[in-house]
Amino acid sequence: MTPIAVLISGTGRLLQELIDRSQAGELPVKIALVISSSPSAYGLERAAQAGIPTAVVSTRTEGSEARRDEKICLLLERCGAQAVVLAGYLAYFRYPQQLTNRVLNIHPALLPGFGGKGLWGHHVHEAVLKSGVKVSGCTVHLVDEHYDHGPIVLQRTCPVLDDDTPDTLAARVFQEERLALPQAVRLLVEKRLVVEGRRVKQLPAQ
Ligand code: GRF
């Protein structure tokens, strides 16, 4: 069971997906720590109910982004996390060298479209609807030095319907995210991801 840490900022629905699959023995991970950027994130409650240690770390608690990220790295080291999952984490995470290609983020659109600063949550789906595209979905990617930019691990798609609102589209995208994130976490902890520049290839299951 690979120890991982999950970073959140909000309701933690994706965190709950990882907790459920881990507890059901479907995902070979132990969630060793949940770190939230917000003290009021419901995801903290979800972690506590699952008996998972939690911490709240933000620029407000630490005083600066640099000290925030240092504190996160310290907590990651202490809990022995071998991989980190950003699941609805709204800040940028400056990861330590030893976690290169071991930090995953999920974005509720098909990157590189509809990503980057300011495009999070419903803002993403508003931009998708405004653009007139007929397909949306989600992207799980490795985190690099830029926001929503790292090499793409996997994507799942869903239709954009004529009568969609940001909320109905978000709900349809979320049904794909629930499948994409655990699958990407599995690939990462099973060491089945091969990063070649901007390409991430998958090794077959052993
Ligand atoms: C997801 O839509 C994800 O793509 C985005 O945050 C949302 C998950 O929020 N990064 P949560 O898991 O309900 O907190």
Side-chain angles (χ1 to χ4, degrees), residues 63-107:
S64 72
E65 287 187 357
R67 285 220 291 270
R68 171 200 64 195
D69 290 337
E70 277 165 29
K71 177 70 174 289
I72 291 174
C73 290
L74 177 67
L75 292 174
L76 294 177
E77 204 170 320
R78 279 191 195 152
C79 77
Q82 300 296 302
V84 178
V85 180
L86 310 186
Y89 183 66
L90 295 180
Y92 175 71
F93 173 47
R94 201 160 282 97
Y95 55 88
Q97 180 66 28
Q98 66 268 28
L99 285 177
T100 299
N101 288 340
R102 305 180 69 81
V103 182
L104 289 171
N105 181 50
I106 184 163
H107 183 73

Side-chain angles (χ1 to χ4, degrees), residues 3 18 41 43-44 48 52 93 111 115 117 119 151 187 200:
L18 297 177
L44 289 168
I52 298 170
F93 173 47
L111 295 175
K117 266 286 184 206
L119 281 170
L187 289 167
V200 179

Side-chain angles (χ1 to χ4, degrees), residues 114-134:
F114 309 106
K117 266 286 184 206
L119 281 170
W120 54 274
H122 70 283
H123 300 294
V124 175
H125 308 297
E126 282 170 358
V128 167
L129 291 174
K130 192 173 175 190
S131 76
V133 294
K134 300 304 176 189

Side-chain angles (χ1 to χ4, degrees), residues 10-14 87-88 106-108 177:
T11 51
R13 292 166 301 159
L14 287 172
I106 184 163
H107 183 73
E177 293 185 279

